[in-house]
Amino acid sequence: MATPTRAIFSSSPRIFFNHTPYTLATLSHFNIGLLKKNRHYNRCCCYRFNRSVAELRSPDLVAFEYAELNLKEKVSEAGHVRIRQHVNPLSASLTIPVQVPNWNEVYGDSTLPLMVDIGSGSGRFLIWLAKRFPESNYLGLEIRNKLVSRAQFWVKELAFNNVHFMFANAMVSFEQLVSSYPGPLVLVSILCPDPHFKKRHHKRRVLQKPLVDSILKNLHPGGRVFLQSDVVEVALDMRNRFDSQSDMLEHITDIDPSVLCDNEGWLLSNPMGIRTEREIHAESEGAKVYRRMYQRRI
Ligand SMILES: C[S@@+](CC[C@H](N)C(=O)[O-])C[C@H]1O[C@@H](n2cnc3c(N)ncnc32)[C@H](O)[C@@H]1O
Protein backbone atom coordinates (compact mmCIF):
# COMPACT_ATOMS: atom_id res chain seq x y z
CA MET A 1 0.00 0.00 0.00
CA ALA A 2 1.28 3.46 -0.77
CA THR A 3 1.54 5.96 2.04
CA PRO A 4 -0.40 9.16 1.47
CA THR A 5 1.81 12.12 2.04
CA ARG A 6 -0.27 15.25 2.34
CA ALA A 7 -2.00 16.39 5.48
CA ILE A 8 -5.66 17.21 5.75
CA PHE A 9 -5.50 18.88 9.12
CA SER A 10 -1.78 19.01 9.62
CA SER A 11 -2.23 21.77 12.17
CA SER A 12 -4.46 19.64 14.37
CA PRO A 13 -3.23 19.52 17.95
CA ARG A 14 -4.70 16.08 18.47
CA ILE A 15 -2.77 13.22 17.05
CA PHE A 16 -4.51 9.88 17.33
CA PHE A 17 -2.64 8.03 14.66
CA ASN A 18 0.97 9.19 14.87
CA HIS A 19 2.23 5.69 15.55
CA THR A 20 0.74 4.21 12.42
CA PRO A 21 2.11 4.53 8.89
CA TYR A 22 -1.04 6.53 8.14
CA THR A 23 -0.60 9.33 10.59
CA LEU A 24 -3.06 11.97 11.60
CA ALA A 25 -2.21 13.52 8.28
CA THR A 26 -4.20 10.88 6.49
CA LEU A 27 -6.90 10.09 8.98
CA SER A 28 -7.39 13.31 10.81
CA HIS A 29 -10.52 14.52 9.13
CA PHE A 30 -12.23 11.90 11.17
CA ASN A 31 -10.74 13.52 14.24
CA ILE A 32 -13.67 13.84 16.55
CA GLY A 33 -12.46 17.07 18.14
CA LEU A 34 -12.18 18.89 14.87
CA LEU A 35 -15.45 17.58 13.66
CA LYS A 36 -17.11 18.70 16.84
CA LYS A 37 -15.73 22.17 16.19
CA ASN A 38 -17.03 21.93 12.68
CA ARG A 39 -20.46 20.99 13.97
CA HIS A 40 -20.27 23.83 16.44
CA TYR A 41 -19.45 26.15 13.55
CA ASN A 42 -22.42 24.87 11.60
CA ARG A 43 -24.62 25.39 14.62
CA CYS A 44 -23.37 28.97 15.10
CA CYS A 45 -23.90 29.77 11.46
CA CYS A 46 -27.37 28.35 11.68
CA TYR A 47 -28.23 30.15 14.88
CA ARG A 48 -29.55 33.33 13.39
CA PHE A 49 -31.67 31.33 10.97
CA ASN A 50 -33.02 29.09 13.68
CA ARG A 51 -36.48 30.56 13.84
CA SER A 52 -37.09 30.36 10.14
CA VAL A 53 -35.38 26.97 9.90
CA ALA A 54 -37.70 25.59 12.55
CA GLU A 55 -40.55 26.35 10.22
CA LEU A 56 -39.02 24.55 7.24
CA ARG A 57 -40.29 21.21 6.00
CA SER A 58 -37.94 18.25 6.16
CA PRO A 59 -36.81 18.40 2.46
CA ASP A 60 -36.15 22.11 2.89
CA LEU A 61 -34.06 21.35 5.95
CA VAL A 62 -31.94 19.02 3.82
CA ALA A 63 -31.52 21.74 1.18
CA PHE A 64 -30.61 24.20 3.92
CA GLU A 65 -28.04 21.90 5.55
CA TYR A 66 -26.43 21.18 2.18
CA ALA A 67 -26.83 24.67 0.74
CA GLU A 68 -23.12 25.18 0.19
CA LEU A 69 -23.10 22.36 -2.39
CA ASN A 70 -25.56 24.37 -4.45
CA LEU A 71 -27.14 21.19 -5.81
CA LYS A 72 -30.69 22.42 -5.93
CA GLU A 73 -30.90 23.55 -9.53
CA LYS A 74 -28.92 20.48 -10.55
CA VAL A 75 -31.81 18.34 -9.33
CA SER A 76 -34.04 19.83 -11.96
CA GLU A 77 -31.31 19.53 -14.59
CA ALA A 78 -31.10 15.83 -13.74
CA GLY A 79 -34.83 15.54 -13.81
CA HIS A 80 -37.13 14.65 -10.96
CA VAL A 81 -36.08 11.35 -9.46
CA ARG A 82 -38.88 9.04 -8.37
CA ILE A 83 -37.48 6.59 -5.89
CA ARG A 84 -38.95 3.28 -4.77
CA GLN A 85 -39.37 3.21 -1.02
CA HIS A 86 -37.61 -0.09 -0.40
CA VAL A 87 -35.63 -2.47 -2.56
CA ASN A 88 -35.04 -6.09 -1.65
CA PRO A 89 -31.25 -6.56 -1.61
CA LEU A 90 -31.72 -10.33 -1.83
CA SER A 91 -33.58 -10.19 -5.15
CA ALA A 92 -31.81 -12.13 -7.89
CA SER A 93 -30.88 -9.06 -9.93
CA LEU A 94 -29.02 -7.57 -6.96
CA THR A 95 -26.99 -10.62 -6.03
CA ILE A 96 -24.64 -10.35 -9.00
CA PRO A 97 -21.30 -8.87 -7.88
CA VAL A 98 -20.35 -5.64 -9.62
CA GLN A 99 -17.23 -5.43 -11.70
CA VAL A 100 -14.34 -3.81 -9.86
CA PRO A 101 -13.53 -0.54 -11.61
CA ASN A 102 -10.07 0.61 -12.54
CA TRP A 103 -9.49 2.76 -9.46
CA ASN A 104 -6.99 4.91 -11.34
CA GLU A 105 -9.79 5.92 -13.69
CA VAL A 106 -12.25 6.50 -10.85
CA TYR A 107 -10.14 8.76 -8.62
CA GLY A 108 -7.57 11.46 -9.28
CA ASP A 109 -5.24 9.69 -6.82
CA SER A 110 -6.25 6.14 -5.98
CA THR A 111 -3.68 5.83 -3.19
CA LEU A 112 -5.52 8.27 -0.92
CA PRO A 113 -7.30 6.96 2.20
CA LEU A 114 -10.80 5.70 1.41
CA MET A 115 -14.11 6.21 3.18
CA VAL A 116 -16.96 3.91 2.14
CA ASP A 117 -20.59 4.82 2.87
CA ILE A 118 -22.83 1.76 2.69
CA GLY A 119 -26.32 2.71 1.55
CA SER A 120 -25.30 6.21 0.50
CA GLY A 121 -28.84 7.29 -0.45
CA SER A 122 -28.84 10.61 -2.30
CA GLY A 123 -25.06 10.94 -1.93
CA ARG A 124 -25.17 14.50 -0.57
CA PHE A 125 -23.45 13.43 2.64
CA LEU A 126 -20.39 11.99 0.85
CA ILE A 127 -20.26 14.83 -1.66
CA TRP A 128 -20.18 17.30 1.22
CA LEU A 129 -17.32 15.38 2.88
CA ALA A 130 -15.47 15.15 -0.44
CA LYS A 131 -15.65 18.91 -0.77
CA ARG A 132 -14.75 19.67 2.83
CA PHE A 133 -11.95 17.09 3.14
CA PRO A 134 -10.50 16.69 -0.35
CA GLU A 135 -7.47 14.65 0.63
CA SER A 136 -9.39 11.42 0.93
CA ASN A 137 -11.43 9.42 -1.54
CA TYR A 138 -15.09 8.56 -0.96
CA LEU A 139 -17.11 5.64 -2.28
CA GLY A 140 -20.88 5.37 -1.96
CA LEU A 141 -22.55 1.98 -2.43
CA GLU A 142 -26.26 2.10 -3.17
CA ILE A 143 -28.86 -0.32 -4.55
CA ARG A 144 -31.25 2.29 -5.91
CA ASN A 145 -29.80 3.01 -9.30
CA LYS A 146 -31.61 6.31 -9.85
CA LEU A 147 -29.98 7.73 -6.74
CA VAL A 148 -26.59 6.58 -8.00
CA SER A 149 -27.14 8.19 -11.41
CA ARG A 150 -28.16 11.48 -9.85
CA ALA A 151 -25.25 11.45 -7.39
CA GLN A 152 -22.81 10.76 -10.23
CA PHE A 153 -24.43 13.59 -12.20
CA TRP A 154 -23.72 15.94 -9.29
CA VAL A 155 -20.13 14.68 -8.96
CA LYS A 156 -19.56 15.37 -12.66
CA GLU A 157 -21.12 18.81 -12.45
CA LEU A 158 -18.92 19.69 -9.49
CA ALA A 159 -15.87 18.17 -11.24
CA PHE A 160 -14.84 16.30 -8.08
CA ASN A 161 -12.34 13.50 -8.64
CA ASN A 162 -12.35 12.14 -5.09
CA VAL A 163 -15.92 10.85 -4.77
CA HIS A 164 -17.66 8.06 -6.66
CA PHE A 165 -21.00 6.26 -6.40
CA MET A 166 -21.68 2.72 -7.50
CA PHE A 167 -24.88 0.82 -8.07
CA ALA A 168 -23.80 -2.07 -5.89
CA ASN A 169 -25.21 -4.32 -3.23
CA ALA A 170 -22.81 -3.97 -0.31
CA MET A 171 -23.81 -7.43 0.92
CA VAL A 172 -22.45 -8.87 -2.31
CA SER A 173 -19.74 -6.52 -3.55
CA PHE A 174 -18.14 -4.76 -0.57
CA GLU A 175 -15.31 -7.28 -0.15
CA GLN A 176 -14.09 -7.30 -3.71
CA LEU A 177 -14.38 -3.53 -4.05
CA VAL A 178 -12.47 -2.54 -0.92
CA SER A 179 -9.90 -5.34 -1.10
CA SER A 180 -8.91 -4.20 -4.59
CA TYR A 181 -8.61 -0.53 -3.64
CA PRO A 182 -4.93 0.49 -3.62
CA GLY A 183 -5.00 2.83 -0.58
CA PRO A 184 -5.98 2.27 3.06
CA LEU A 185 -9.62 1.86 4.08
CA VAL A 186 -9.96 4.40 6.92
CA LEU A 187 -13.70 4.78 7.50
CA VAL A 188 -16.82 2.73 6.84
CA SER A 189 -20.22 4.19 7.61
CA ILE A 190 -23.64 2.57 7.73
CA LEU A 191 -26.06 5.37 8.44
CA CYS A 192 -29.75 4.83 8.95
CA PRO A 193 -29.91 1.55 7.01
CA ASP A 194 -33.28 0.26 5.84
CA PRO A 195 -34.84 -1.25 8.97
CA HIS A 196 -36.75 -4.20 7.41
CA PHE A 197 -38.94 -4.45 10.50
CA LYS A 198 -40.55 -7.84 9.94
CA LYS A 199 -38.61 -10.66 11.55
CA ARG A 200 -38.65 -12.71 8.38
CA HIS A 201 -37.10 -9.74 6.57
CA HIS A 202 -34.24 -9.22 9.01
CA LYS A 203 -31.99 -11.12 6.63
CA ARG A 204 -32.43 -8.21 4.20
CA ARG A 205 -30.72 -5.84 6.62
CA VAL A 206 -27.45 -4.76 5.11
CA LEU A 207 -25.23 -5.53 8.11
CA GLN A 208 -24.84 -9.30 8.32
CA LYS A 209 -21.89 -11.30 9.63
CA PRO A 210 -20.01 -11.58 6.27
CA LEU A 211 -20.07 -7.78 5.93
CA VAL A 212 -18.82 -7.30 9.51
CA ASP A 213 -16.01 -9.78 8.80
CA SER A 214 -15.10 -8.03 5.59
CA ILE A 215 -15.05 -4.60 7.24
CA LEU A 216 -12.76 -5.90 9.99
CA LYS A 217 -10.52 -7.66 7.52
CA ASN A 218 -10.05 -4.62 5.31
CA LEU A 219 -10.13 -1.73 7.79
CA HIS A 220 -6.74 -0.19 8.27
CA PRO A 221 -5.35 -0.10 11.85
CA GLY A 222 -6.69 3.12 13.35
CA GLY A 223 -9.53 3.13 10.82
CA ARG A 224 -13.08 3.68 12.00
CA VAL A 225 -16.59 2.37 11.66
CA PHE A 226 -19.50 4.77 12.15
CA LEU A 227 -23.01 3.40 12.65
CA GLN A 228 -26.28 5.10 13.29
CA SER A 229 -30.01 4.54 13.12
CA ASP A 230 -33.13 6.25 14.36
CA VAL A 231 -34.63 2.79 14.94
CA VAL A 232 -33.27 1.56 18.25
CA GLU A 233 -33.75 -2.10 17.37
CA VAL A 234 -31.68 -1.67 14.20
CA ALA A 235 -29.03 0.35 16.03
CA LEU A 236 -28.78 -2.37 18.68
CA ASP A 237 -28.49 -5.08 16.06
CA MET A 238 -25.54 -3.26 14.43
CA ARG A 239 -24.01 -2.35 17.78
CA ASN A 240 -24.07 -5.93 19.07
CA ARG A 241 -22.24 -7.11 15.98
CA PHE A 242 -19.39 -4.64 16.54
CA ASP A 243 -19.34 -4.60 20.36
CA SER A 244 -18.61 -8.31 20.20
CA GLN A 245 -15.40 -7.59 18.25
CA SER A 246 -13.64 -5.97 21.19
CA ASP A 247 -10.41 -7.84 20.45
CA MET A 248 -10.13 -5.80 17.23
CA LEU A 249 -12.19 -2.69 17.92
CA GLU A 250 -12.46 -0.05 20.64
CA HIS A 251 -15.34 2.33 21.01
CA ILE A 252 -14.28 5.90 20.42
CA THR A 253 -15.33 7.01 23.89
CA ASP A 254 -12.75 4.61 25.36
CA ILE A 255 -10.04 6.30 23.31
CA ASP A 256 -11.08 9.92 23.67
CA PRO A 257 -12.84 10.71 26.95
CA SER A 258 -13.87 14.11 25.60
CA VAL A 259 -16.28 12.35 23.22
CA LEU A 260 -19.50 12.04 25.13
CA CYS A 261 -22.16 9.38 25.14
CA ASP A 262 -25.35 8.88 27.12
CA ASN A 263 -25.56 6.37 29.93
CA GLU A 264 -26.50 3.63 27.45
CA GLY A 265 -23.34 4.19 25.40
CA TRP A 266 -24.83 6.06 22.43
CA LEU A 267 -22.84 9.05 21.15
CA LEU A 268 -24.45 12.33 22.06
CA SER A 269 -23.86 13.90 18.66
CA ASN A 270 -22.91 13.09 15.10
CA PRO A 271 -19.12 13.39 14.88
CA MET A 272 -18.97 13.90 11.10
CA GLY A 273 -19.78 17.60 10.95
CA ILE A 274 -22.94 17.12 8.86
CA ARG A 275 -26.08 15.04 9.21
CA THR A 276 -27.33 12.57 6.63
CA GLU A 277 -30.69 13.12 5.00
CA ARG A 278 -32.44 10.37 6.93
CA GLU A 279 -30.97 11.80 10.11
CA ILE A 280 -32.29 15.28 9.29
CA HIS A 281 -35.76 13.86 8.58
CA ALA A 282 -35.75 11.80 11.78
CA GLU A 283 -34.53 14.61 14.02
CA SER A 284 -37.00 17.06 12.49
CA GLU A 285 -39.72 14.69 13.68
CA GLY A 286 -38.21 14.60 17.16
CA ALA A 287 -36.70 11.12 16.90
CA LYS A 288 -33.52 10.15 18.67
CA VAL A 289 -30.61 8.95 16.54
CA TYR A 290 -28.53 6.14 18.07
CA ARG A 291 -24.85 6.31 17.14
CA ARG A 292 -21.67 4.33 17.72
CA MET A 293 -18.16 4.85 16.38
CA TYR A 294 -15.41 2.23 16.65
CA GLN A 295 -11.72 2.35 15.92
CA ARG A 296 -9.67 -0.61 14.84
CA ARG A 297 -6.93 -1.38 17.32
CA ILE A 298 -3.44 -0.61 16.09
C1 LIG B 1 -32.85 4.76 4.81
S1 LIG B 1 -31.73 5.03 3.52
C2 LIG B 1 -30.46 5.99 4.31
C3 LIG B 1 -29.62 6.74 3.32
C4 LIG B 1 -28.51 7.57 3.96
N1 LIG B 1 -27.49 6.72 4.53
C5 LIG B 1 -29.05 8.51 5.00
O1 LIG B 1 -28.78 8.32 6.18
O2 LIG B 1 -29.76 9.45 4.59
C6 LIG B 1 -30.90 3.46 3.33
C7 LIG B 1 -30.23 3.33 1.98
O3 LIG B 1 -29.50 2.12 1.91
C8 LIG B 1 -29.68 1.54 0.62
N2 LIG B 1 -29.41 0.11 0.76
C9 LIG B 1 -30.19 -0.81 1.37
N3 LIG B 1 -29.62 -2.03 1.31
C10 LIG B 1 -28.44 -1.87 0.64
C11 LIG B 1 -27.40 -2.76 0.24
N4 LIG B 1 -27.46 -4.07 0.52
N5 LIG B 1 -26.32 -2.26 -0.41
C12 LIG B 1 -26.27 -0.93 -0.71
N6 LIG B 1 -27.23 -0.04 -0.38
C13 LIG B 1 -28.30 -0.50 0.29
C14 LIG B 1 -31.12 1.88 0.30
O4 LIG B 1 -31.41 1.81 -1.07
C15 LIG B 1 -31.24 3.29 0.86
O5 LIG B 1 -30.92 4.27 -0.09
Side-chain angles (χ1 to χ4, degrees), residues 66 83-90 94 117-123 125 141-145 147 166 168-172 189-196 204-207 211 228 230 275-281:
Y66 286 92
I83 311 292
R84 284 176 61 193
Q85 188 68 12
H86 284 294
V87 175
N88 176 4
L90 303 179
L94 286 171
D117 188 30
I118 293 175
S120 49
S122 75
F125 172 72
L141 304 181
E142 175 50 59
I143 50 171
R144 289 187 289 175
N145 203 8
L147 291 180
M166 291 184 72
N169 183 346
M171 295 163 102
V172 175
S189 55
I190 308 176
L191 306 177
C192 305
D194 289 340
H196 297 294
R204 296 182 183 181
R205 289 183 181 167
V206 67
L207 191 65
L211 185 54
Q228 74 178 21
D230 54 307
R275 295 180 295 170
T276 70
E277 281 187 42
R278 176 64 217 164
E279 187 179 354
I280 294 168
H281 294 313

Side-chain angles (χ1 to χ4, degrees), residues 1-10 21-28 109-113 135-136 183-184:
M1 272 193 240
T3 305
T5 50
R6 289 174 299 165
I8 295 167
F9 282 138
S10 51
Y22 300 96
T23 63
L24 176 69
T26 62
L27 298 167
S28 62
D109 177 355
S110 67
T111 66
L112 291 180
E135 297 194 13
S136 285

Side-chain angles (χ1 to χ4, degrees), residues 2-271:
T3 305
T5 50
R6 289 174 299 165
I8 295 167
F9 282 138
S10 51
S11 59
S12 168
R14 305 177 61 184
I15 298 182
F16 286 161
F17 303 106
N18 56 350
H19 48 306
T20 74
Y22 300 96
T23 63
L24 176 69
T26 62
L27 298 167
S28 62
H29 63 286
F30 306 120
N31 177 315
I32 298 279
L34 284 169
L35 290 170
K36 278 199 301 198
K37 268 190 208 159
N38 205 344
R39 184 94 177 110
H40 174 70
Y41 169 79
N42 282 351
R43 284 209 181 109
C44 291
C45 288
C46 290
Y47 177 74
R48 60 199 146 122
F49 299 110
N50 267 356
R51 285 181 64 183
S52 51
V53 167
E55 287 150 22
L56 290 176
R57 290 177 316 121
S58 182
D60 299 328
L61 287 170
V62 172
F64 181 79
E65 192 134 343
Y66 286 92
E68 71 172 85
L69 291 179
N70 202 20
L71 295 174
K72 207 162 184 180
E73 81 277 13
K74 293 186 173 72
V75 175
S76 57
E77 283 168 37
H80 181 64
V81 181
R82 287 178 66 112
I83 311 292
R84 284 176 61 193
Q85 188 68 12
H86 284 294
V87 175
N88 176 4
L90 303 179
S91 65
S93 61
L94 286 171
T95 51
I96 303 159
V98 290
Q99 211 173 345
V100 173
N102 178 344
W103 296 113
N104 293 326
E105 287 171 7
V106 168
Y107 296 118
D109 177 355
S110 67
T111 66
L112 291 180
L114 180 70
M115 168 180 176
V116 178
D117 188 30
I118 293 175
S120 49
S122 75
R124 286 180 174 90
F125 172 72
L126 270 198
I127 294 172
W128 186 92
L129 288 173
K131 181 177 184 212
R132 184 61 68 97
F133 306 111
E135 297 194 13
S136 285
N137 287 332
Y138 302 83
L139 178 64
L141 304 181
E142 175 50 59
I143 50 171
R144 289 187 289 175
N145 203 8
K146 285 185 180 174
L147 291 180
V148 175
S149 306
R150 188 180 61 177
Q152 278 297 99
F153 169 86
W154 283 333
V155 170
K156 205 168 155 210
E157 283 288 301
L158 292 164
F160 287 176
N161 68 0
N162 65 333
V163 56
H164 184 67
F165 294 91
M166 291 184 72
F167 174 48
N169 183 346
M171 295 163 102
V172 175
S173 297
F174 179 87
E175 170 64 29
Q176 65 203 85
L177 289 171
V178 298
S179 62
S180 62
Y181 179 77
L185 177 67
V186 295
L187 181 59
V188 177
S189 55
I190 308 176
L191 306 177
C192 305
D194 289 340
H196 297 294
F197 287 109
K198 289 181 189 160
K199 193 154 197 265
R200 68 190 161 87
H201 288 165
H202 284 184
K203 56 182 183 288
R204 296 182 183 181
R205 289 183 181 167
V206 67
L207 191 65
Q208 306 289 338
K209 187 172 184 308
L211 185 54
V212 174
D213 292 345
S214 181
I215 291 170
L216 292 176
K217 181 180 144 205
N218 289 286
L219 194 64
H220 194 269
R224 292 180 175 183
V225 179
F226 179 39
L227 312 169
Q228 74 178 21
S229 176
D230 54 307
V231 180
V232 68
E233 181 207 338
V234 171
L236 274 171
D237 184 16
M238 295 196 290
R239 175 180 176 166
N240 290 337
R241 292 177 187 278
F242 284 101
D243 277 2
S244 63
Q245 304 291 337
S246 57
D247 52 330
M248 287 190 73
L249 297 174
E250 290 174 281
H251 193 248
I252 203 72
T253 46
D254 297 332
I255 299 165
D256 182 352
S258 73
V259 181
L260 301 178
C261 58
D262 65 17
N263 51 20
E264 289 174 337
W266 302 109
L267 294 178
L268 288 188
S269 59
N270 177 332

